[in-house]
Amino acid sequence: MLSAEVEGDSLVFVASGVVKLTAQSASPQPAKHDACTNHVLSFHFPTDIVSVLRREDGDFRLIALADAQLVTFSADRFLDLAQDDPAVIRSVLARSLNALHRSRNRMMQMSHKSARQRVADFLVSMSKRLTAGEHKACEFALPMSRRDIADCLGLTIETVSRQFAELRDAGLIETEGRSLVRLLDLEKLSREAGRTPLPHFEPTI
Amino acid sequence: MLSAEVEGDSLVFVASGVVKLTAQSASPQPAKHDACTNHVLSFHFPTDIVSVLRREDGDFRLIALADAQLVTFSADRFLDLAQDDPAVIRSVLARSLNALHRSRNRMMQMSHKSARQRVADFLVSMSKRLTAGEHKACEFALPMSRRDIADCLGLTIETVSRQFAELRDAGLIETEGRSLVRLLDLEKLSREAGRTPLPHFEPTI
DNA sequence: CGTTGAGTTGAGCTCTTTCAATAGGAGTGG
DNA sequence: CCACTCCTATTGAAAGAGCTCAACTCAACG
């Protein structure tokens, strides 16, 4: 478990492992017994480039969920160096627009989707990341805890757990132990998630 | 009321007026009596540059809420032309990272905030856009309908309306007619929104 | 074998949505 | 200017979804 501290905006390349991008919202009023208002913005996998930006209130953090190898650039310095190479900077721009696009999609989903839809969508999306290519045997170990999932989906761990149970009862998934998940019916699961087609894997920033 | 149709990814500069960026989620199952699953992703004001990307499922649309003057670029062609000018392309990249940043913040808020917080946040955020500079007399006409607000915040119009009513009862705002709003206590309103500081206005992409 | 932390499950409560009815504004035509 | 209509907005009551709190289970680890 490794946590990378960075000053200013930076770009991080994930070479191996899994990381979560979190934002602790330095909550103004310490709320009731808040303890863990640790929002998880996204999970990232090898080949992803994550942009970790500085915020006014509290900071973004990149936290490893499994042993990970990361390459960190200062965004400014990187851009200075890349400035002479249009292809590079343009690729970064393309990735960044792509990330924006996905973030918007995600936001749209988040605000209008039920717990069931969020969890189903999460599972489908994870299967794409973790079993890239293999169309059958959608079986994988979730690298993150229920808390991380809940924080990412804007739900409580209890609700996530209940949704897992219901999906299990419905015969859409199977679980073994804490992290192993088997998606038995990707088709139906996608429909539960409220997705039309099956989007492709695309590198993120 | 003007609607700009575009093919492929494009960048749109808002010269004047107000527009909303929408995504119709070409809902797989036509749902009950869905009619209007028109998600509003964001509102944009003069000087904003909006990136309108192509999606697999359904398209993004830019819809004018008031008479607006827009300049539309094809993203690809623009980048081809800008490629020789590092300063330009870098500025676009900076805007895009900024937009990503704001989108993430927004997403974070959306998934964890109550109706009250969302509406308060919306009002504070609008006041920044619509009364840029004037610290007093936070009074402005909302250019969008309650439906647009609801769609943007992931709530129903009824809930938005009730939140307006409660904020009015609490003495935080006053309303006149359908669109005029006066923020009586920006401080408290910001606190209701769950914001620590008062973020600055920044151009978007 | 007890302890610890994560995960699951249940009961009650809160907030938001849904459904349905009412009020308000804007536009039209007499 | 008023009457009529249409559409948006508001308000109320009931239902539903997710949250909180609390008990319990499970697996890992000493």
Side-chain angles (χ1 to χ4, degrees), chain A residues 1 8 40 59 67 72 81 92-93 95-96 106 109-110 118 122 126 128-129 141 152 165 178 204:
Chain A
M1 181 74 84
V40 175
D59 266 332
D67 288 353
T72 306
L81 294 174
V92 173
L93 179 57
R95 274 169 178 267
S96 135
R106 196 157 174 57
Q109 290 172 7
M110 293 300 284
R118 295 185 203 196
F122 173 80
M126 277 305 122
K128 293 198 185 322
R129 294 312 197 84
C152 176
R178 292 186 168 164
T204 58

Side-chain angles (χ1 to χ4, degrees), chain A residues 39 51 80 90 96 103-104, chain B residues 51 80 90 96 103-104 112:
Chain A
H39 306 245
S51 78
D80 286 340
R90 187 159 170 175
S96 135
S103 172
R104 277 181 181 161
Chain B
S51 78
D80 285 340
R90 189 159 169 174
S96 134
S103 173
R104 278 182 180 160
H112 293 274

Side-chain angles (χ1 to χ4, degrees), chain A residues 64-138:
Chain A
L65 298 171
D67 288 353
Q69 295 180 302
L70 308 177
V71 185
T72 306
F73 312 84
S74 155
D76 288 335
R77 292 204 42 231
F78 173 75
L79 293 180
D80 286 340
L81 294 174
Q83 204 152 58
D84 297 327
D85 192 338
V88 170
I89 204 168
R90 187 159 170 175
S91 147
V92 173
L93 179 57
R95 274 169 178 267
S96 135
L97 284 176
N98 219 310
L100 177 59
H101 182 213
R102 305 211 309 143
S103 172
R104 277 181 181 161
N105 266 324
R106 196 157 174 57
M107 185 173 80
M108 205 180 68
Q109 290 172 7
M110 293 300 284
S111 48
H112 293 274
K113 286 199 170 182
S114 67
R116 166 66 62 92
Q117 289 176 311
R118 295 185 203 196
V119 172
D121 185 69
F122 173 80
L123 287 174
V124 172
S125 145
M126 277 305 122
S127 84
K128 293 198 185 322
R129 294 312 197 84
L130 293 170
T131 68
E134 316 169 30
H135 275 286
K136 301 201 171 191
C138 270

Side-chain angles (χ1 to χ4, degrees), chain A residues 11 21 23-29 38-42 44 49-57 60 75-77 79-80 83-84 86-87 89-90 92-93 96-112 118 150-155 191-192 194-197 199-200 202 205, chain B residues 11 21 23-29 38-42 44 49-57 60 75-77 79-80 83-84 86-87 89-90 92-93 96-112 118 150-155 191-192 194-197 199-200 202 205:
Chain A
L11 299 175
L21 178 63
Q24 19 205 20
S25 59
S27 45
Q29 313 92 320
N38 243 34
H39 306 245
V40 175
L41 287 149
S42 53
H44 291 279
I49 292 181
V50 193
S51 78
V52 183
L53 299 148
R54 192 176 34 205
R55 295 173 65 214
E56 317 80 35
D57 54 334
F60 286 128
D76 288 335
R77 292 204 42 231
L79 293 180
D80 286 340
Q83 204 152 58
D84 297 327
I89 204 168
R90 187 159 170 175
V92 173
L93 179 57
S96 135
L97 284 176
N98 219 310
L100 177 59
H101 182 213
R102 305 211 309 143
S103 172
R104 277 181 181 161
N105 266 324
R106 196 157 174 57
M107 185 173 80
M108 205 180 68
Q109 290 172 7
M110 293 300 284
S111 48
H112 293 274
R118 295 185 203 196
D151 284 348
C152 176
L153 299 180
L155 301 169
R191 242 176 291 131
E192 283 282 357
R195 297 191 177 205
T196 339
H200 297 298
E202 284 168 23
I205 195 167
Chain B
L11 299 174
L21 179 64
Q24 20 205 20
S25 58
S27 43
Q29 314 91 321
N38 244 35
H39 306 245
V40 174
L41 286 150
S42 53
H44 291 280
I49 293 181
V50 192
S51 78
V52 183
L53 299 148
R54 192 176 33 203
R55 295 172 67 214
E56 316 81 34
D57 55 334
F60 284 128
D76 289 334
R77 291 203 44 232
L79 293 181
D80 285 340
Q83 206 152 56
D84 299 326
I89 205 167
R90 189 159 169 174
V92 173
L93 179 57
S96 134
L97 283 177
N98 218 309
L100 176 58
H101 183 212
R102 303 211 310 143
S103 173
R104 278 182 180 160
N105 266 323
R106 198 160 170 55
M107 187 172 77
M108 206 181 66
Q109 290 172 7
M110 293 300 283
S111 49
H112 293 274
R118 295 184 202 196
D151 284 347
C152 176
L153 299 180
L155 301 169
R191 243 176 291 132
E192 285 281 357
R195 295 190 179 208
T196 339
H200 297 299
E202 283 168 23
I205 194 167

Side-chain angles (χ1 to χ4, degrees), chain B:
Chain B
M1 183 71 85
L2 161 162
S3 159
E5 213 77 25
V6 282
E7 77 301 319
D9 300 351
S10 33
L11 299 174
V12 180
F13 175 74
V14 181
S16 70
V18 190
V19 300
K20 62 176 175 181
L21 179 64
T22 67
Q24 20 205 20
S25 58
S27 43
Q29 314 91 321
K32 304 142 199 178
H33 55 119
D34 211 344
C36 43
T37 318
N38 244 35
H39 306 245
V40 174
L41 286 150
S42 53
F43 298 104
H44 291 280
F45 302 87
T47 76
D48 284 2
I49 293 181
V50 192
S51 78
V52 183
L53 299 148
R54 192 176 33 203
R55 295 172 67 214
E56 316 81 34
D57 55 334
D59 266 330
F60 284 128
R61 279 221 173 106
L62 215 49
I63 298 177
L65 297 171
D67 288 352
Q69 296 180 303
L70 308 177
V71 185
T72 305
F73 312 84
S74 156
D76 289 334
R77 291 203 44 232
F78 174 75
L79 293 181
D80 285 340
L81 294 174
Q83 206 152 56
D84 299 326
D85 192 337
V88 170
I89 205 167
R90 189 159 169 174
S91 147
V92 173
L93 179 57
R95 274 170 178 266
S96 134
L97 283 177
N98 218 309
L100 176 58
H101 183 212
R102 303 211 310 143
S103 173
R104 278 182 180 160
N105 266 323
R106 198 160 170 55
M107 187 172 77
M108 206 181 66
Q109 290 172 7
M110 293 300 283
S111 49
H112 293 274
K113 287 199 167 181
S114 67
R116 167 65 63 92
Q117 289 176 311
R118 295 184 202 196
V119 171
D121 185 69
F122 173 80
L123 286 172
V124 172
S125 145
M126 278 304 124
S127 84
K128 294 200 183 320
R129 294 311 197 84
L130 294 170
T131 67
E134 313 169 29
H135 276 286
K136 303 202 170 189
C138 269
E139 172 179 326
F140 50 87
L142 291 172
M144 69 290 285
S145 69
R146 293 286 188 271
R147 166 156 300 286
D148 285 333
I149 298 174
D151 284 347
C152 176
L153 299 180
L155 301 169
T156 59
I157 44 179
E158 292 96 327
T159 301
V160 171
S161 183
R162 273 186 261 268
Q163 292 306 326
F164 269 82
E166 287 178 27
L167 288 174
R168 204 185 309 123
D169 293 347
L172 295 179
I173 67 171
E174 280 177 6
T175 57
E176 258 179 61
R178 293 185 167 167
S179 67
L180 201 81
V181 181
R182 218 181 338 266
L183 308 189
L184 301 176
D185 194 335
L186 203 48
E187 186 76 24
K188 272 190 191 170
L189 211 52
S190 293
R191 243 176 291 132
E192 285 281 357
R195 295 190 179 208
T196 339
L198 302 180
H200 297 299
F201 170 86
E202 283 168 23
T204 58
I205 194 167

Side-chain angles (χ1 to χ4, degrees), chain A residues 186-202:
Chain A
L186 204 49
E187 185 75 26
K188 271 191 189 168
L189 211 53
S190 294
R191 242 176 291 131
E192 283 282 357
R195 297 191 177 205
T196 339
L198 301 181
H200 297 298
F201 170 87
E202 284 168 23

